[in-house]
């Protein structure tokens, strides 16, 4: 029952919101038509004539074209911004890859230094082999 009540409330809110949007759209349409009529009257057209109807239609077409241009401009701007963001992300990725590469190189160099230090600190095992031939003794170190 609580779920049904909640659903009814949500549907009522959605319906009220849609009704408000429709009412606002209707008011805007009425205002636009009123503005178109005023423009046409200013141009000398008389109400309820074919020429007034053509003038209103022309005004509506111009308005729609302006909205279309504005919409296309906005889409174009959004597209440019998306391209710029993609380029920015690509540059950041490249910088992170370079940092990772430098870190790997530094780690490898440090590992080499550590190995060399370890070799120098570790006593080497040397073998000395000596052979005596008469009065001469010959030794070799391995």
């Amino acid at each position: 029952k609580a779920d049904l009540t909640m659903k009814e409330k949500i549907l009522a809110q959605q319906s009220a919101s849609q009704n408000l949007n429709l009412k606002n759209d209707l008011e805007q349409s009425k205002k636009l038509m009123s503005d178109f009529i005023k423009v046409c009257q200013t141009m000398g057209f008389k109400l309820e004539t074919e020429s007034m109807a053509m003038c209103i239609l022309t005004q509506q077409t111009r308005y729609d074209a302006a909205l279309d241009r504005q919409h296309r401009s906005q889409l174009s701007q959004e597209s440019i911004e998306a391209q710029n963001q993609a380029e920015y992300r690509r540059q950041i990725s490249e910088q992170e890859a370079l940092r990772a590469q430098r870190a790997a190189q530094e780690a490898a160099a440090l590992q080499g230094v550590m190995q060399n230090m370890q070799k120098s600190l570790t006593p080497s095992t040397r073998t000395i082999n000596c052979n005596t031939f008469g009065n001469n003794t010959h030794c070799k170190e391995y």
Side-chain angles (χ1 to χ4, degrees), residues 47-60:
L47 286 175
E48 299 179 15
T49 62
E50 268 188 51
S51 57
M52 175 61 97
M54 291 302 293
C55 179
I56 292 171
L57 184 59
T58 301
Q59 297 304 315
Q60 179 67 47

Side-chain angles (χ1 to χ4, degrees), residues 28-44:
Q28 185 180 7
S29 294
K30 286 179 182 179
K31 183 180 179 333
L32 279 172
M33 187 56 70
S34 174
D35 290 347
F36 296 157
I37 290 170
K38 285 178 186 174
V39 166
C40 291
Q41 283 178 328
T42 302
M43 294 169 62

